[in-house]
mmCIF file of all heavy atoms in Angstrom:
data_model
loop_
_atom_site.group_PDB
_atom_site.id
_atom_site.type_symbol
_atom_site.label_atom_id
_atom_site.label_comp_id
_atom_site.label_asym_id
_atom_site.label_seq_id
_atom_site.Cartn_x
_atom_site.Cartn_y
_atom_site.Cartn_z
ATOM 1 N N ALA A 358 -17.175 -2.734 -0.846
ATOM 2 C CA ALA A 358 -18.487 -2.347 -0.311
ATOM 3 C C ALA A 358 -18.471 -0.908 0.200
ATOM 4 O O ALA A 358 -19.422 -0.143 -0.021
ATOM 5 C CB ALA A 358 -18.899 -3.307 0.802
ATOM 6 N N MET A 359 -17.383 -0.529 0.863
ATOM 7 C CA MET A 359 -17.297 0.830 1.408
ATOM 8 C C MET A 359 -17.205 1.869 0.297
ATOM 9 O O MET A 359 -17.844 2.933 0.369
ATOM 10 C CB MET A 359 -16.079 0.943 2.331
ATOM 11 C CG MET A 359 -16.218 0.210 3.654
ATOM 12 S SD MET A 359 -14.693 0.301 4.630
ATOM 13 C CE MET A 359 -14.507 2.082 4.816
ATOM 14 N N CYS A 360 -16.420 1.566 -0.750
ATOM 15 C CA CYS A 360 -16.175 2.553 -1.797
ATOM 16 C C CYS A 360 -17.265 2.586 -2.860
ATOM 17 O O CYS A 360 -17.550 3.640 -3.433
ATOM 18 C CB CYS A 360 -14.825 2.281 -2.466
ATOM 19 S SG CYS A 360 -13.402 2.456 -1.368
ATOM 20 N N GLN A 361 -17.865 1.411 -3.125
ATOM 21 C CA GLN A 361 -18.784 1.320 -4.250
ATOM 22 C C GLN A 361 -20.184 0.862 -3.881
ATOM 23 O O GLN A 361 -21.065 0.859 -4.745
ATOM 24 C CB GLN A 361 -18.218 0.350 -5.299
ATOM 25 C CG GLN A 361 -16.852 0.703 -5.833
ATOM 26 C CD GLN A 361 -16.873 1.953 -6.693
ATOM 27 O OE1 GLN A 361 -17.933 2.450 -7.065
ATOM 28 N NE2 GLN A 361 -15.699 2.466 -7.024
ATOM 29 N N GLY A 362 -20.405 0.482 -2.636
ATOM 30 C CA GLY A 362 -21.685 -0.119 -2.248
ATOM 31 C C GLY A 362 -22.891 0.731 -2.608
ATOM 32 O O GLY A 362 -23.869 0.237 -3.191
ATOM 33 N N ILE A 363 -22.853 2.014 -2.276
ATOM 34 C CA ILE A 363 -24.002 2.892 -2.541
ATOM 35 C C ILE A 363 -24.214 3.056 -4.042
ATOM 36 O O ILE A 363 -25.345 2.986 -4.540
ATOM 37 C CB ILE A 363 -23.802 4.251 -1.856
ATOM 38 C CG1 ILE A 363 -23.805 4.077 -0.325
ATOM 39 C CG2 ILE A 363 -24.886 5.238 -2.284
ATOM 40 C CD1 ILE A 363 -23.526 5.351 0.432
ATOM 41 N N ARG A 364 -23.115 3.255 -4.794
ATOM 42 C CA ARG A 364 -23.232 3.421 -6.248
ATOM 43 C C ARG A 364 -23.807 2.168 -6.901
ATOM 44 O O ARG A 364 -24.664 2.245 -7.790
ATOM 45 C CB ARG A 364 -21.863 3.722 -6.850
ATOM 46 C CG ARG A 364 -21.325 5.113 -6.565
ATOM 47 C CD ARG A 364 -19.982 5.291 -7.253
ATOM 48 N NE ARG A 364 -20.102 5.159 -8.701
ATOM 49 C CZ ARG A 364 -19.107 4.785 -9.506
ATOM 50 N NH1 ARG A 364 -17.924 4.478 -8.994
ATOM 51 N NH2 ARG A 364 -19.303 4.700 -10.806
ATOM 52 N N VAL A 365 -23.323 0.993 -6.479
ATOM 53 C CA VAL A 365 -23.819 -0.252 -7.046
ATOM 54 C C VAL A 365 -25.302 -0.430 -6.721
ATOM 55 O O VAL A 365 -26.104 -0.801 -7.591
ATOM 56 C CB VAL A 365 -23.014 -1.458 -6.524
ATOM 57 C CG1 VAL A 365 -23.649 -2.771 -6.958
ATOM 58 C CG2 VAL A 365 -21.575 -1.386 -7.021
ATOM 59 N N GLY A 366 -25.686 -0.143 -5.472
ATOM 60 C CA GLY A 366 -27.079 -0.265 -5.075
ATOM 61 C C GLY A 366 -27.986 0.655 -5.883
ATOM 62 O O GLY A 366 -29.067 0.254 -6.326
ATOM 63 N N TRP A 367 -27.542 1.872 -6.103
ATOM 64 C CA TRP A 367 -28.338 2.828 -6.880
ATOM 65 C C TRP A 367 -28.433 2.382 -8.337
ATOM 66 O O TRP A 367 -29.500 2.462 -8.952
ATOM 67 C CB TRP A 367 -27.730 4.215 -6.781
ATOM 68 C CG TRP A 367 -28.498 5.265 -7.552
ATOM 69 C CD1 TRP A 367 -28.144 5.866 -8.710
ATOM 70 C CD2 TRP A 367 -29.779 5.787 -7.199
ATOM 71 N NE1 TRP A 367 -29.109 6.746 -9.115
ATOM 72 C CE2 TRP A 367 -30.132 6.721 -8.205
ATOM 73 C CE3 TRP A 367 -30.654 5.567 -6.139
ATOM 74 C CZ2 TRP A 367 -31.334 7.434 -8.180
ATOM 75 C CZ3 TRP A 367 -31.849 6.267 -6.118
ATOM 76 C CH2 TRP A 367 -32.184 7.181 -7.111
ATOM 77 N N SER A 368 -27.338 1.900 -8.892
ATOM 78 C CA SER A 368 -27.345 1.433 -10.282
ATOM 79 C C SER A 368 -28.271 0.225 -10.438
ATOM 80 O O SER A 368 -28.977 0.094 -11.441
ATOM 81 C CB SER A 368 -25.931 1.055 -10.732
ATOM 82 O OG SER A 368 -25.068 2.172 -10.672
ATOM 83 N N PHE A 369 -28.268 -0.666 -9.439
ATOM 84 C CA PHE A 369 -29.156 -1.828 -9.462
ATOM 85 C C PHE A 369 -30.620 -1.387 -9.432
ATOM 86 O O PHE A 369 -31.470 -1.929 -10.137
ATOM 87 C CB PHE A 369 -28.845 -2.735 -8.277
ATOM 88 C CG PHE A 369 -29.647 -4.013 -8.256
ATOM 89 C CD1 PHE A 369 -29.229 -5.110 -8.992
ATOM 90 C CD2 PHE A 369 -30.794 -4.118 -7.503
ATOM 91 C CE1 PHE A 369 -29.957 -6.292 -8.980
ATOM 92 C CE2 PHE A 369 -31.534 -5.293 -7.486
ATOM 93 C CZ PHE A 369 -31.111 -6.378 -8.224
ATOM 94 N N LEU A 370 -30.907 -0.357 -8.622
ATOM 95 C CA LEU A 370 -32.265 0.161 -8.546
ATOM 96 C C LEU A 370 -32.677 0.768 -9.886
ATOM 97 O O LEU A 370 -33.794 0.568 -10.363
ATOM 98 C CB LEU A 370 -32.364 1.216 -7.429
ATOM 99 C CG LEU A 370 -33.733 1.886 -7.220
ATOM 100 C CD1 LEU A 370 -34.783 0.825 -6.871
ATOM 101 C CD2 LEU A 370 -33.649 2.931 -6.124
ATOM 102 N N GLU A 371 -31.754 1.496 -10.510
ATOM 103 C CA GLU A 371 -32.037 2.083 -11.811
ATOM 104 C C GLU A 371 -32.342 0.991 -12.846
ATOM 105 O O GLU A 371 -33.237 1.143 -13.688
ATOM 106 C CB GLU A 371 -30.844 2.906 -12.294
ATOM 107 C CG GLU A 371 -30.706 4.266 -11.630
ATOM 108 C CD GLU A 371 -29.561 5.052 -12.213
ATOM 109 O OE1 GLU A 371 -28.506 4.445 -12.537
ATOM 110 O OE2 GLU A 371 -29.714 6.283 -12.393
ATOM 111 N N ALA A 372 -31.595 -0.099 -12.775
ATOM 112 C CA ALA A 372 -31.801 -1.205 -13.729
ATOM 113 C C ALA A 372 -33.184 -1.818 -13.602
ATOM 114 O O ALA A 372 -33.746 -2.343 -14.558
ATOM 115 C CB ALA A 372 -30.734 -2.276 -13.533
ATOM 116 N N SER A 373 -33.751 -1.749 -12.399
ATOM 117 C CA SER A 373 -35.097 -2.324 -12.188
ATOM 118 C C SER A 373 -36.188 -1.383 -12.655
ATOM 119 O O SER A 373 -37.352 -1.798 -12.822
ATOM 120 C CB SER A 373 -35.289 -2.630 -10.693
ATOM 121 O OG SER A 373 -35.327 -1.437 -9.927
#
Side-chain angles (χ1 to χ4, degrees):
M359 288 176 59
C360 296
Q361 302 291 349
I363 294 176
R364 287 182 61 206
V365 172
W367 180 253
S368 299
F369 184 84
L370 179 60
E371 283 183 322
S373 67

